Amino acid sequence: MNILVINAGSSSLKYQLMNPETGEVFAKGLCERINIDGRLTHKVPSKDIKVVRDIPMPTHAEAIAAVMEILVDPENGVIKSVDEIDAVGHRVLHGGMKFVSSCLIDEACKQAIRDCIPLGPLHNPANLMGIEACEKAMPGKPQVAVFDTAFHMTMPPKAYRYAIPTKYFEEDSLRRYGFHGTSHRFVSKRAIELMGNPAESKVIVCHLGNGSSLSAVKNGECQDTSMGLSPLAGVPMGTRSGDIDACVVQYIMNKEKNMSIDDCLNMLNKQCGVKALSNGLSSDFRDLEAGAARGDEACELALRKFCYEVGKYIGAYTAALNGLDCLVFTAGVGENGPETRKDICSYLEFMGIKLDPEANKVRGDEMKISAPDSKVQVWVIPTNEELMIAQDTAELC
Ligand code: AMP
């Protein structure tokens, strides 16, 4: 089976054509600068092919058309005709309270995604554009929506309700939703497999990348997660502030006389986090580590603050789960940052977590990194959101 996985953003669109059973990726790529000018980067891993082409992309429709064209291209393509694509799986950011799992796309599903635009104003319109562009390019092809929020819908009210007047929940659905759900589902499922599928399990997943979130998972079901109504909440991230006292927003807006609430939120999303703590140097942990090694105190603070906050969340989620069997690190920093993992785990020695320093050198591979006498297993498990989307798509089509 060939599944085309699409992750459409407002000005970009990532794609992978893959086999959901084996996980083999036949081709993958990125359309950038949609709505501006347009550039396609296309790769065929088995043939070491990398093609970069400037192609006008006034809308997502032209981007999808360019993807279809290169996938069937005699030289750089991997299929003879679009008929060889069995189905399309879309990453959709916000499923609100309507979607607890992935769903075959029909008019009702599209309307429900549209209804969630107030909750995901930046991403849901782009996700819909990706879906509609695929409908146009491949009429009648089965399509599936896989929601970033769905895995977290098993949270109990005490975890998802905000302590604000009830009418905002009842009338406006304001609550914690959480994101990166496809990654948390993939990685927690794998962790449970690696533990030998015990009947009962308590797992904390640390998805640490440019965006970061943690989840507390009991018996395979999410109990709590660090992002909230939007991905701004939780630990400090590459450019997002993470949890912040709302009065900080009031103070900054009073001080910066011309700043609108949208400008302020834009700053909290794009100019904060470790980038702000490093005095604007970088949101990339590799740059911060290099800076700290040169003796840059701001880089050092950015790294230490990040690890401290992640460590605190793990402590809180261990209490939420009333114990812990397995701690997992995933995503760019989680998979590739031994120093970060070591610093985070230094806050957890009190609960018997001990790393194996040799195993913790791993970068990008699945590996148990806890010492044999650690009371809690600690793993690095590479995430694969595209595979999860492809598997859900294959199952529903
Ligand atoms: P992601 O959002 O999951 O793609 O993660 C991206 C982030 O992972 C980058 O911003 C880097 O900070 C981090 N990262 C990737 N590779 C490495 C590495 N080898 N060492 C440390 N951090 C890394």
Side-chain angles (χ1 to χ4, degrees):
M1 212 176 188
N2 294 330
I3 304 289
L4 180 64
V5 177
I6 299 286
N7 182 357
S10 53
S11 67
S12 71
L13 183 149
K14 289 186 206 142
Y15 64 93
Q16 283 197 10
L17 185 68
M18 68 190 307
N19 179 322
E21 283 116 38
T22 62
E24 186 184 353
V25 176
F26 305 115
K28 62 178 180 178
L30 168 70
C31 299
E32 292 170 281
R33 301 175 62 83
I34 301 172
N35 225 336
I36 307 166
D37 39 26
R39 171 171 301 159
L40 172 76
T41 305
H42 173 81
K43 294 180 187 168
V44 180
S46 66
K47 292 189 194 154
D48 256 346
I49 289 177
K50 182 180 174 186
V51 183
V52 182
R53 281 190 192 150
D54 288 332
I55 302 172
M57 295 175 187
T59 70
H60 287 69
E62 290 79 13
I64 284 289
V67 173
M68 295 297 114
E69 200 171 310
I70 195 121
L71 285 175
V72 301
D73 182 76
E75 200 181 330
N76 300 305
V78 288
I79 48 176
K80 287 199 177 67
S81 126
V82 172
D83 294 343
E84 289 177 45
I85 300 173
D86 294 292
V88 185
H90 292 267
R91 180 180 185 182
V92 179
L93 182 85
H94 220 304
M97 286 166 61
K98 292 195 177 80
F99 294 102
V100 298
S101 59
S102 303
C103 133
L104 201 56
I105 296 174
D106 56 13
E107 281 310 313
C109 170
K110 283 201 297 183
Q111 187 52 47
I113 296 172
R114 220 168 275 129
D115 293 342
C116 292
I117 288 177
L119 300 172
L122 300 179
H123 294 82
N124 274 36
N127 301 150
L128 271 171
M129 283 191 270
I131 291 168
E132 284 170 352
C134 285
E135 283 176 343
K136 208 168 144 196
M138 296 169 275
K141 189 81 70 191
Q143 300 200 67
V144 167
V146 179
F147 298 91
D148 249 27
T149 47
F151 178 66
H152 303 303
M153 292 311 286
T154 48
M155 281 189 288
K158 66 184 177 189
Y160 71 67
R161 282 290 297 273
Y162 289 131
I164 59 173
T166 302
K167 67 173 183 172
Y168 296 115
F169 172 66
E170 288 183 346
E171 295 169 18
D172 305 289
S173 308
L174 293 191
R175 49 163 280 178
R176 180 187 302 284
Y177 287 95
F179 299 88
H180 295 139
T182 316
S183 174
H184 286 285
R185 178 157 60 108
F186 181 86
V187 170
S188 58
K189 192 166 164 259
R190 180 71 188 136
I192 294 166
E193 270 168 29
L194 288 164
M195 286 193 291
N197 286 316
E200 296 191 344
S201 58
K202 295 172 178 175
V203 177
I204 293 176
V205 176
C206 306
H207 176 111
L208 310 178
N210 192 33
S212 294
S213 65
L214 288 89
S215 66
V217 182
K218 189 173 177 186
N219 306 336
E221 292 191 342
C222 180
Q223 301 299 308
D224 207 342
T225 191
S226 59
M227 285 178 166
L229 173 71
S230 86
L232 182 57
V235 295
M237 309 177 208
T239 63
R240 295 189 190 116
S241 62
D243 296 336
I244 200 164
D245 181 340
C247 286
V248 172
V249 175
Q250 181 192 36
Y251 190 100
I252 291 175
M253 287 181 64
N254 281 338
K255 180 183 159 115
E256 310 284 353
K257 296 271 179 267
N258 295 322
M259 188 179 248
S260 67
I261 186 72
D262 284 355
D263 289 343
C264 190
L265 266 288
N266 200 32
M267 180 196 73
L268 291 172
N269 271 296
K270 297 194 175 143
Q271 301 298 334
C272 290
V274 292
K275 183 173 180 192
L277 287 169
S278 67
N279 294 331
L281 185 103
S282 181
S283 60
D284 192 303
F285 277 64
R286 286 163 289 199
D287 297 336
L288 300 176
E289 283 174 5
R294 287 193 306 270
D296 184 323
E297 286 177 14
C299 289
E300 180 67 21
L301 173 66
L303 292 167
R304 301 295 71 85
K305 168 79 177 166
F306 177 80
C307 295
Y308 173 69
E309 295 294 343
V310 173
K312 267 185 9 185
Y313 257 100
I314 296 168
Y317 284 175
T318 303
L321 293 171
N322 208 346
L324 184 63
D325 301 312
C326 185
L327 175 67
V328 191
F329 291 99
T330 193
V333 181
E335 291 167 29
N336 296 293
E339 284 305 316
T340 303
R341 295 190 297 251
K342 183 176 160 203
D343 192 10
I344 292 168
C345 289
S346 72
Y347 294 101
L348 308 170
E349 283 163 9
F350 77 96
M351 50 195 253
I353 285 191
K354 250 194 233 175
L355 288 185
D356 172 339
E358 260 318 295
N360 187 40
K361 287 181 182 162
V362 69
R363 290 180 191 265
D365 288 322
E366 187 173 284
M367 175 81 84
K368 188 177 186 177
I369 59 169
S370 45
D373 59 341
S374 176
K375 288 209 177 106
V376 175
Q377 295 188 27
V378 186
W379 282 83
V380 170
I381 301 179
T383 193
N384 194 337
E385 292 168 271
E386 290 77 13
L387 178 58
M388 192 92 258
I389 293 171
Q391 287 175 346
D392 277 12
T393 305
E395 210 168 282
L396 285 170
C397 290

